[in-house]
Amino acid sequence: MGEFGGIALIFIAVILFFFLISAIKIIPEYEKGVIFRLGRLVGVRGPGLFFVIPMLERMFRIDTRVITMDVPAQEVITRDNVTIRVNAVLYFLVIDPGKAVVNVMDYIRATMQIAQTTLRSVVGQFELDEMLSQREQINHRLQQIIDEQTEPWGIKVNIVEVKDVELPQSMQRAMAKQAEAEREKRAKIIHADGEFQASKRLAEAADVISREPVTLQLRYLQTLTEIAVEKNSTLVFPLPIDLIRPFIDRAYSGLNNDGYSEGGKKPNEPRPANPEARRGLFDPMTGLPLE
C-alpha cells in the first residue's frame, strides 16, 4: 500500500502541475483575451498575467493592433460608362474584442468582403474625371461606409485609400491627346498675351523715340555692340540719312534754277541739246519735273 500510495501522489502532483500550467495565461500588450465560461461570454482579460479555470473556461486571443489589408483590384463601370480597375488599401483595428468574437465568425475576412463591395459601389457613382480629381472625397466616403457596416463587429476603420486606377489603353490615348491639346491651348494664349504686352511696350518706345531722336542713334550703337559680340566677318553699319543730308543739300545748292550747274552741265547727266529734250526729266531731290 505504501508503494501504491506513493505512485498515486506522484500522479496527482503531475496532474495538478499541468492543471496549473494550463490555468496560467500571459497576454502581450497588443492582445486581449476573450473568456467563455461554459459557453457564455464572461468578459475580456489582459494584457498581462491572469488565470482561467481549465475545462470550464476557454480563451480566444484577439490582436488589437492596426491591421493593413490590400483590397484586390475590382472592375468597376463608372457613371459615364468607362470600365476601370481600382484597388485600395484598408487600415482597421479591433476596439471591442468581445463583439469581434461573438458577432462575426471571421472579422478579417468579413471586413475584406465589405471593403470590396463598398469599393465597387462607391466608385460606380462617380464619373472618370471625378474619380481622378476627387480622391480625398472618395476615400472619406469609403471610410465612412465601411466603418458604419463593421461597427457591430467591434471594428474601427481608420483609413481607406484608393491606390491605383487602371484605365483602358484607348482611354489613356484619348486623355493624352486631351492633355496635349490643353497644353497647346495654354501655350498659344500665353504667346498671344506676350505679343500683346510687347506691342504695348513697342508703342511706348516709339513714342519716346519720336520725342527724342537721339535715342535712335543710341539704339544703333547698341545694335552694333550686339553684332560685334558674335564675331561675324561682315559688319553692318546703319547710316542715318540725317548725317549725309547736309552734304546732299550742299551738292545741290550749286545748281541754278534750270537744274544745271554753273559750269553748264548737270551732275552725272549730259546736257540736252534743246529744251524739248529736257521734258520728262525730274529733279532727284524734289521729284519735280524740269522745265
Side-chain angles (χ1 to χ4, degrees):
M1 290 296 294
E3 183 179 356
F4 180 77
I7 295 175
L9 290 177
I10 294 174
F11 181 73
I12 294 173
V14 170
I15 293 178
L16 290 177
F17 175 77
F18 282 104
F19 185 85
L20 182 63
I21 292 297
S22 61
I24 298 175
K25 300 296 181 180
I26 300 177
I27 298 296
E29 184 69 28
Y30 55 85
E31 290 184 351
K32 296 288 185 179
V34 181
I35 307 300
F36 288 85
R37 181 181 301 159
L38 298 177
R40 296 182 61 86
L41 177 65
V42 295
V44 178
R45 300 178 185 177
L49 175 66
F50 58 90
F51 295 91
V52 296
I53 303 174
M55 295 182 296
L56 296 180
E57 294 181 346
R58 185 180 179 185
M59 185 188 71
F60 292 89
R61 292 174 179 264
I62 299 296
D63 197 326
T64 58
R65 292 175 293 182
V66 175
I67 300 174
T68 304
M69 178 185 298
D70 287 326
V71 181
Q74 305 293 315
E75 288 192 0
V76 184
I77 300 178
T78 61
R79 194 170 61 181
D80 51 351
N81 297 325
V82 178
T83 302
I84 59 176
R85 291 176 60 86
V86 183
N87 58 1
V89 60
L90 181 69
Y91 299 88
F92 67 96
L93 73 159
V94 178
I95 59 175
D96 192 337
K99 292 182 178 180
V101 175
V102 175
N103 295 347
V104 62
M105 182 176 181
D106 186 349
Y107 66 91
I108 296 180
R109 185 171 180 272
T111 305
M112 167 71 77
Q113 297 299 322
I114 287 293
Q116 294 180 15
T117 56
T118 305
L119 179 63
R120 288 195 298 266
S121 175
V122 171
V123 173
Q125 299 175 7
F126 289 85
E127 296 183 357
L128 180 60
D129 293 339
E130 297 174 346
M131 178 66 196
L132 298 176
S133 61
Q134 301 180 9
R135 288 286 188 91
E136 294 184 1
Q137 180 179 352
I138 295 175
N139 295 336
H140 177 71
R141 189 168 181 179
L142 285 171
Q143 184 269 335
Q144 184 178 8
I145 295 176
I146 298 175
D147 186 47
E148 291 177 356
Q149 293 178 342
T150 57
E151 183 180 1
W153 306 337
I155 306 297
K156 174 61 179 177
V157 178
N158 292 330
I159 303 174
V160 180
E161 291 284 344
V162 175
K163 291 174 59 178
D164 189 21
V165 179
E166 298 180 9
L167 302 176
Q169 293 294 331
S170 59
M171 184 59 63
Q172 293 182 14
R173 289 192 294 267
M175 294 180 66
K177 292 180 180 179
Q178 179 183 0
E180 183 178 0
E182 185 67 23
R183 288 193 295 269
E184 291 180 356
K185 172 187 173 182
R186 290 199 298 265
K188 291 181 179 179
I189 293 175
I190 294 173
H191 179 72
D193 185 62
E195 291 290 339
F196 176 72
Q197 295 181 8
S199 64
K200 293 174 63 176
R201 293 298 182 182
L202 288 174
E204 294 176 0
D207 184 54
V208 173
I209 292 175
S210 64
R211 294 195 303 268
E212 299 291 340
V214 71
T215 57
L216 186 60
Q217 308 299 329
L218 296 176
R219 181 58 182 166
Y220 287 154
L221 297 177
Q222 183 181 0
T223 304
L224 291 176
T225 304
E226 294 176 356
I227 295 175
V229 173
E230 300 295 333
K231 299 180 181 180
N232 295 326
S233 59
T234 303
L235 185 62
V236 180
F237 185 80
L239 184 63
I241 195 65
D242 295 338
L243 296 179
I244 62 174
R245 182 174 296 277
F247 300 98
I248 297 176
D249 295 340
R250 184 175 181 182
Y252 283 96
S253 63
L255 297 178
N256 53 20
N257 294 331
D258 58 359
Y260 290 91
S261 62
E262 295 178 356
K265 292 184 179 181
K266 192 174 184 179
N268 301 327
E269 184 177 345
R271 183 173 182 176
N274 52 61
E276 296 295 332
R278 296 172 59 193
R279 294 180 178 177
L281 299 179
F282 296 87
D283 190 319
M285 288 297 297
T286 63
L288 299 176
L290 298 174
E291 297 180 356

